[in-house]
Amino acid sequence: MEKGELLSRYCCRLIAVERCAVLTKESYRLEIRRFLDYLDDNNTALQNADTAVLTSYITERRGTDNINSGSAAKAISALRSFFRFAMDEGLVRDNPACIIECPKRAATLPEVMDRETVEALLETVDVKTPLGIRDRALYEMIYSAGLRVSEAVSLNIRDVNLEEGFARVKGKGNKERFVLFGKKASDKLKQYLKEGRGKLAGKVNKTDALFIGRNGKRLSRKGIWKNYAKWASYAGTSSHLHTLRHSFATSLLEGGADLRTVQELLGHADLSTTQIYTHVDVGILRDNHRRFLPELNTAQR
């Protein structure tokens, strides 16, 4: 089987059988393409790719491409997936990637902003133009609902209920969930639909997408990131767009929300992913410690 056909069939499996998100599929495709090129460069047939070959490949990736532990773990995950496919296709007899231990990822705390900083950043957006009106509505929505960028991109007009303040979004693995957003985000969305979107769409509405660019087509992830970086620089912050989602989660916990609620609103499959936010605000932990164990804190004020 030729390399192109092999990759094409593998990608079809990722979508149809493993139900991977489009971004995951593309990431795995690129990784497996590198791996197959590596086999060609080393005159190694796929059926002869054992654990030693895979380990050498990962070692080369870490040395040549300088990938970190997280990227190495993703590469191993892609290899495991690919060899499952290869076994089902009868191309190999076993999965050598299964016994390769994934490197531990360094535990890093998410960057967050307090509400005042977020509001100051959003106020920086110039709403005198259709593009500015769109950006303000977009980033208010991301912050108020805790959206991933991909979820904001995929929103259609029919997915949003402005009066009730909720939207249906498609998250990782194409899993749908409902998210909530506040009155401020709702007001900005109404302004965008009334004053901004029609001017961007022109006479012919080319798409049902909620957020569109100056060409009338669905706004891209790259476009959203680029625009946010501009407004963030004007506000004097170096925060990344995903920080709005992190800040949303932290604000919920500060307000007394339980982890399960935050997990549902963020669309996390595993509660352990949500638990990282409990480590962000040491002040909250300290206050709770003093509240529930006052006898241990009489000496510290």
Side-chain angles (χ1 to χ4, degrees):
M1 190 183 304
E2 292 185 357
K3 188 186 303 182
E5 182 184 355
L6 185 63
L7 282 171
S8 178
R9 292 176 63 170
Y10 171 58
C11 289
C12 287
R13 175 194 170 95
L14 289 176
I15 298 296
V17 178
E18 299 195 16
R19 298 181 62 81
C20 291
V22 174
L23 291 176
T24 301
K25 184 265 294 183
E26 184 60 19
S27 174
Y28 279 23
R29 185 189 71 81
L30 292 173
E31 190 63 57
I32 299 307
R33 178 79 193 205
R34 291 191 190 98
F35 173 65
L36 295 177
D37 288 342
Y38 173 83
L39 293 182
D40 287 345
D41 293 341
N42 289 273
N43 297 315
T44 303
L46 179 61
Q47 58 268 29
N48 294 329
D50 55 13
T51 304
V53 172
L54 270 60
T55 301
S56 296
Y57 167 71
I58 296 297
T59 300
E60 179 171 300
R61 287 275 281 128
R62 300 193 75 159
T64 304
D65 300 326
N66 198 30
I67 62 173
N68 57 25
S69 296
S71 297
K74 289 180 181 179
I76 293 171
S77 179
L79 289 169
R80 289 173 178 172
S81 168
F82 175 71
F83 275 94
R84 284 197 300 269
F85 157 76
M87 286 177 65
D88 290 344
E89 293 287 321
L91 301 175
V92 298
R93 290 186 297 179
D94 55 20
N95 189 337
C98 282
I99 58 177
I100 298 178
E101 185 176 355
C102 284
K104 293 183 178 180
R105 304 187 187 194
T108 57
L109 295 179
E111 178 188 4
V112 298
M113 296 183 287
D114 57 35
R115 295 184 185 182
E116 291 75 16
T117 302
V118 173
E119 289 173 0
L121 189 154
L122 295 175
E123 288 292 340
T124 304
V125 180
D126 182 6
V127 293
K128 296 178 182 178
T129 67
L131 291 175
I133 294 173
R134 178 207 63 197
D135 284 351
R136 181 64 185 271
L138 169 63
Y139 300 126
E140 286 279 5
M141 182 68 174
I142 289 176
Y143 174 62
S144 186
L147 298 182
R148 301 179 177 95
V149 179
S150 58
E151 293 168 349
V153 167
S154 65
L155 276 174
N156 293 318
I157 295 176
R158 63 177 179 273
D159 296 328
V160 180
N161 187 319
L162 295 176
E163 300 306 320
E164 298 296 331
F166 70 85
R168 181 179 60 188
V169 301
K170 189 171 294 185
K172 288 186 175 181
N174 289 324
K175 294 179 181 178
E176 290 189 348
R177 75 179 191 282
F178 285 100
V179 297
L180 306 175
F181 54 89
K183 185 178 184 303
K184 194 170 185 179
S186 179
D187 289 343
K188 295 302 178 183
L189 283 169
K190 289 177 182 178
Q191 181 186 10
Y192 164 61
L193 291 173
K194 182 179 179 180
E195 304 174 19
R197 190 182 185 283
K199 294 179 181 179
L200 295 175
K203 295 182 179 180
V204 180
N205 194 346
K206 302 177 182 179
T207 176
D208 293 327
L210 177 60
F211 297 110
I212 60 177
R214 63 175 76 248
N215 58 3
K217 297 180 180 180
R218 188 181 298 273
L219 192 61
S220 67
R221 289 162 50 93
K222 185 177 180 181
I224 292 178
W225 282 328
K226 181 179 179 181
N227 293 334
Y228 178 82
K230 177 183 69 174
W231 298 122
S233 67
Y234 290 165
T237 174
S238 60
S239 70
H240 301 289
L241 177 53
H242 207 63
T243 303
L244 291 180
R245 177 170 157 90
H246 293 324
S247 302
F248 160 82
T250 305
S251 295
L252 284 176
L253 290 173
E254 288 177 348
D258 60 87
L259 274 177
R260 288 290 183 185
T261 299
V262 179
Q263 177 190 9
E264 289 296 324
L265 291 174
L266 289 175
H268 286 161
D270 195 325
L271 186 62
S272 63
T273 307
T274 315
Q275 286 176 330
I276 190 172
Y277 294 108
T278 63
H279 303 295
V280 173
D281 197 320
V282 178
I284 296 175
L285 299 180
R286 183 182 297 111
D287 290 343
N288 285 335
H289 187 271
R290 291 177 176 174
R291 176 185 174 190
F292 295 113
L293 291 172
E295 68 276 10
L296 299 182
N297 294 283
T298 54
Q300 292 183 331
R301 296 297 181 201

